[in-house]
Each structure stands twice: as C-alpha cells, then as structure tokens.
Amino acid sequence: MSAGATGIGSLPGGDAREAAKTATGSFEDFPYLPELPARGPGADMIGRSAGLLVDMYAHVEPSGWRISDRPGRDTRRARSWLGEDLDALEEFTQGYTGRLKVQAVGPWTLAAALELHGGEAMLQDAGACRDLAGSLAEGLREHLADVRRRIPGAEIVLQLDEPSLTAVLLGRVRSASGYRTYRAVDRQVVEGALREVFAVHDGEVIVHSCAPEVPFGLLRRAGVTGVSFDFSLLTEREDDAVGEAVEGGTKLFAGVVPGTDGPLSDPGGSVMGVRKLWRRLGLAPGTLAESVVVTPSCGLAGASPAYARAAQAHCVRAARSLADNPE
C-alpha cells in the first residue's frame, strides 16, 4: 500500500480554477478543496468558516471578524468565493472516485478569533461557544451535503483547522487589550464541542494544527481518525502520545515539507524524520505507509506559486519514498 499525500488547504494567488487544477493535478489520489486567502476578507480561513455558520453572522472590523445580527456584504462575499471554489473543484473532479479533503476552522480556533459585539473574543463566553459549535456543525452538515452532490464519487475527509486549540486549553489566548489572557477552557468542554462538530460526518475527520504541543490524546478521545501537524515541531516528549495514537489506528498527516519558499531536500530526506520516529517508537516499518499521509507543514498561502506547485509534487514523491523504503 502506498503512503498517501495531500495538501493542507491554502494556496497563493486568487484564481479558483488555477488552484483547483493544481490541487487535483498534484494529488491525483487525494485532492482537496483549495482556499485562496489572498483574495481578501472572506477568503481567509476565519471569514470563510464564518460564512458557513447557520443563523450566526460575522463582518470585518479593523480588529478582525466580529459577530453581527444579520448577514452583510462580508458574509455574502465569503459564501460567493466558496461557491466559486466549489464550482472550480467540481469541474476538475468529473468522474473522480476516491478521497477528497475539505477544510473548515474548528470551533475553538473560531471562538478565539471571532469577536463579540464588545470586542472581546467569543472564547470568554461559554454560552456563545456552545452556540458557535452548534451553528458550525449545522453549517458543515450543509456544506458536506453540497460537496457530495457535486462530486458523488468522493469519499470526503473533513479537516478542521485548530491552530489555537493548545492556546485555548492552556489559557494563552490574549484578550482584546492584549494585557491579559482568557481563562483556560476545561478539557471536557473542549472535547465535547469537538465531538459535536465531528459527529456531522460519518467518514474520516482530521484535525490540523501547525502550532506546537498538539493535544493528540484529547483529539483521539474526541473521535478524530487523523491528526495533521507540523512534523518539525514534534518533540520526544510527545513520543508516547504519538505512539498510542498510531497503535490506536489514528492516521498521522505529517507536515514534512516546508510551507514557504526554500530549498527542498531529496524526497527520502524529507521523510527521514518519520522513519526515525517509527524506530524510536518501536513500531513495525511495514505499518508506515498505511499510518502516514505526507503533507506540507502548513498552508501554502505564503509561498510563491512555483514553490507551492513544487512543494505539492515533492509531498507525493516523499510519500512514495516512504512506501518503497520504510526502513
């Protein structure tokens, strides 16, 4: 079995067709729905996911996205761009069967980024966080149904982006003034909201975070099938949690290819760290290919278009190297 490879989500530029062509051409076996934040507010990850919410709306303020009472121009723009991206993906996946990944921001990173009317993050209000998780779950259910209608042969993989999750758990999210931080959210509350959102999809659900200290154990208890992370931030302190995850059947989406322009090593060199991790954990090399999907370390929005294409092609070659030479 060959190790898979896929992208994270964001790409440079603003052309939906070009992005869909790149995402489907680079990853013929595991394409994804691209995001193009360079187009402006509403195409960024927070605005795009705010556009998915049901009976909850947001608009842009100088400080960021803020909850509104009714849908406005920013909500319409976010939905219109998502529609454009889906049209483009549909065009390049005619007759496609296999895994297809779609991404949205998870409930805790959204709660840390969206502001209440007074300017503080939703994170400080437990009731608002509950409403947000429910609204996001409802919106994702509709979004996934739309993707299924458009690409009926797809086995959809839902990726939730949660770069702020660790900060939420550790009480490190800064308040509006920047002088204090919000209280850490109880782990069971965090897990419960994640479980509610994961429940909208009966296929694969992965959580992506390119922040340090990804909470592997908590994510597994909440029901993920895979965890996507920046491999360079992994420390030996996390060995036990990673080992338990793999032995429990959780897939690792290992971000081993840098997300911004720079020299690329040979494909084998890119996955050397993954092989070393396997040896350190005492796992059978034969399980590598079925347990690991190779990805860039984070989204590619900050890369040049040429590098973004090269990095994605490199992920595919690195995955092949992992499958061919697991030792």
Side-chain angles (χ1 to χ4, degrees), residues 9 26 59 99 112 124 126 147 158 188 190 236 270 324:
S26 303
H59 65 277
R99 293 160 94 197
Q124 77 160 19
V147 177
L158 172 62
Q188 281 174 317
V190 169
E236 294 196 15
S270 291
D324 294 347

Side-chain angles (χ1 to χ4, degrees), residues 7-14 19 32 34-40 43-45 208 210 258-261 296-309 311-312:
I8 295 295
S10 68
L11 286 174
Y32 64 96
E35 299 164 12
L36 300 172
R39 292 181 296 200
D44 60 301
M45 58 188 257
H208 167 70
C210 42
T260 47
D261 292 42
S297 58
C298 213
L300 294 166
S304 65
Y307 177 82
R309 283 193 296 274
Q312 299 201 124

Side-chain angles (χ1 to χ4, degrees), residues 168-190:
V168 166
L169 287 164
L170 298 177
R172 291 181 185 160
V173 178
R174 295 215 160 274
S175 66
S177 68
Y179 292 126
R180 59 183 187 89
T181 51
Y182 298 114
R183 262 210 317 269
V185 180
D186 180 87
R187 296 182 85 83
Q188 281 174 317
V189 173
V190 169

Side-chain angles (χ1 to χ4, degrees), residues 2-12 17-34 89 92-93 96 99-100 257 264 293-296 300 304-320:
S2 79
T6 190
I8 295 295
S10 68
L11 286 174
R17 288 188 75 251
E18 187 55 41
K21 189 175 163 187
T22 300
T24 53
S26 303
F27 301 112
E28 290 172 9
D29 300 327
F30 199 167
Y32 64 96
L33 174 64
L89 186 68
F92 287 99
T93 49
Y96 174 74
R99 293 160 94 197
L100 167 75
V257 178
L264 290 166
V293 177
V294 176
T295 71
L300 294 166
S304 65
Y307 177 82
R309 283 193 296 274
Q312 299 201 124
H314 191 82
C315 287
V316 175
R317 287 195 293 271
R320 201 168 295 140

